[in-house]
Amino acid sequence: MQPPARNALARAQQSAAHLELRDSYMLDDPEFLAWQQGKRLDPADRSSWWGGWHDAVSAATARGVVVRRVRIVSEPISDYVRYQYDCTSCTATPRRRRRPRRGA
């Protein structure tokens, strides 16, 4: 069974939006902890980090679906938000925006 967001994205015909409101999710995530120690994703080695969500976004954009992602963040920006932004900089979502919480 696919997560609900992936099911919705698979059914999207014209556009999809991903809105994130939290400043952090799992601060004990091993990938976040590794990022804090300097590990970065290698865009040339997608097989080492490319997951199901990225495949779903790629499939949707290949069908012509416009995928947008907006992240509402507190300022100053937390390390976790920096981590998320670093990770999404080399993903399939072509339209990403980061908005300060006070101006959203």
Side-chain angles (χ1 to χ4, degrees):
M1 177 192 272
Q2 287 186 336
R6 287 192 205 158
N7 284 333
L9 190 56
R11 292 190 315 271
Q13 296 177 8
Q14 295 178 358
S15 67
H18 183 179
L19 175 64
E20 294 187 35
L21 300 171
R22 294 172 61 179
D23 286 323
S24 65
Y25 290 88
M26 299 183 330
L27 298 178
D28 60 348
D29 176 1
E31 291 297 320
F32 172 58
L33 297 174
W35 180 87
Q36 286 181 306
Q37 298 299 314
K39 178 185 174 192
R40 298 298 183 262
L41 298 177
D42 179 2
D45 183 19
R46 284 189 170 178
S47 64
S48 69
W49 55 269
W50 194 260
W53 174 251
H54 301 102
D55 290 337
V57 172
S58 289
T61 57
R63 292 193 317 272
V65 175
V66 175
V67 179
R68 293 168 292 167
R69 182 180 200 155
V70 175
R71 181 174 290 128
I72 307 298
V73 298
S74 297
E75 291 180 319
I77 293 173
S78 69
D79 281 345
Y80 196 87
V81 170
R82 284 186 185 91
Y83 160 70
Q84 286 183 314
Y85 195 73
D86 190 42
C87 291
T88 59
S89 293
C90 50
T91 64
T93 308
R95 296 182 181 195
R96 294 179 311 277
R97 299 288 182 268
R98 187 170 55 182
R99 297 283 309 184
R101 193 170 303 279
R102 71 177 188 285

